[in-house]
Amino acid sequence: MKKQEKRHVRILFQTKIDRHGEIEDYEFTTKGELYHKGTQDYLRFQEVLSDQENVQTTLKWDGRELVLIRQGDVLMRQSFLRGIQTSGRYVTPQISWESVATTESVIVRWPQGNQKGVIHLRYHFSLQGQDTGIHDVRLTLEEE
C-alpha cells in the first residue's frame, strides 16, 4: 500500500472455527480506516460484541507478519507468521490467558480502485493450553 491519507473501507468480517468437526460461524459488517505509517500498513475498525461491549481492533501488516491488537472490553495481542507458532495474550475483566497460534496461511491484499481487498488468515489456536480449533478468518475490504 502506498503512503497516503487514511482510506475509509467497508469490511465484511467472517470467521469459521472448526472444533474437531463442530463448526461455529461468526460474521459482521463494519466500517474502518486503512492507512500506512512508517513501514507498516494498518486496518482499524470497531467490533461490537454486545450492547455494552465494544472492542477497537487494529491489524498491523509489515509484508510478512500480521499482528492483531484488540483494545476495549477485550484486550488481545497476537501475531501471525505463516508456518510459525506465536504466543500472545487474551484478557477480559474476569480472566487473563496465554494464547498460542500456529499459522497455516496469511494473505493480505489491499483494495485498489474498484477491486476489493482481502485479508485471509488460517491458524490453529489455543487459550491457556486448551485447543480452541482451527480458525479461518476472512475480511473483505471495499473502499467507500
Side-chain angles (χ1 to χ4, degrees), residues 100-119:
V100 175
T102 303
T103 306
E104 290 181 23
S105 65
V106 179
I107 297 168
V108 176
R109 189 178 66 239
W110 301 121
Q112 297 291 325
N114 292 334
Q115 284 190 324
K116 293 181 181 179
V118 67
I119 297 173

Side-chain angles (χ1 to χ4, degrees), residues 78-129:
Q78 184 71 53
S79 63
F80 300 93
L81 281 155
R82 189 173 149 261
I84 296 176
Q85 182 175 304
T86 55
S87 296
R89 191 130 243 19
Y90 181 89
V91 180
T92 70
Q94 297 79 25
I95 54 104
S96 177
W97 285 337
E98 178 183 333
S99 60
V100 175
T102 303
T103 306
E104 290 181 23
S105 65
V106 179
I107 297 168
V108 176
R109 189 178 66 239
W110 301 121
Q112 297 291 325
N114 292 334
Q115 284 190 324
K116 293 181 181 179
V118 67
I119 297 173
H120 186 212
L121 181 60
R122 185 174 168 87
Y123 58 94
H124 191 104
F125 197 64
S126 66
L127 284 172
Q128 206 62 21

Side-chain angles (χ1 to χ4, degrees), residues 13-102:
F13 186 104
Q14 301 168 297
T15 298
K16 180 167 62 170
I17 302 169
D18 183 345
R19 290 188 182 101
H20 309 289
E22 190 175 308
I23 306 294
E24 178 184 332
D25 289 312
Y26 177 67
E27 180 178 302
F28 67 89
T29 56
T30 190
K31 293 182 179 188
E33 293 180 333
L34 184 57
Y35 60 96
H36 184 86
K37 184 177 177 184
T39 60
Q40 304 195 38
D41 297 320
Y42 294 82
L43 175 65
R44 181 170 287 168
F45 59 92
Q46 194 77 11
E47 282 183 77
V48 178
L49 303 178
S50 71
D51 289 341
Q52 298 177 3
E53 293 181 311
N54 289 298
V55 174
Q56 178 74 39
T57 299
T58 303
L59 292 172
K60 183 168 68 166
W61 173 247
D62 68 1
R64 183 173 166 260
E65 178 182 30
L66 185 68
V67 179
L68 168 67
I69 303 162
R70 297 171 82 197
Q71 298 174 318
D73 293 305
V74 170
L75 300 174
M76 183 177 182
R77 184 176 184 92
Q78 184 71 53
S79 63
F80 300 93
L81 281 155
R82 189 173 149 261
I84 296 176
Q85 182 175 304
T86 55
S87 296
R89 191 130 243 19
Y90 181 89
V91 180
T92 70
Q94 297 79 25
I95 54 104
S96 177
W97 285 337
E98 178 183 333
S99 60
V100 175
T102 303

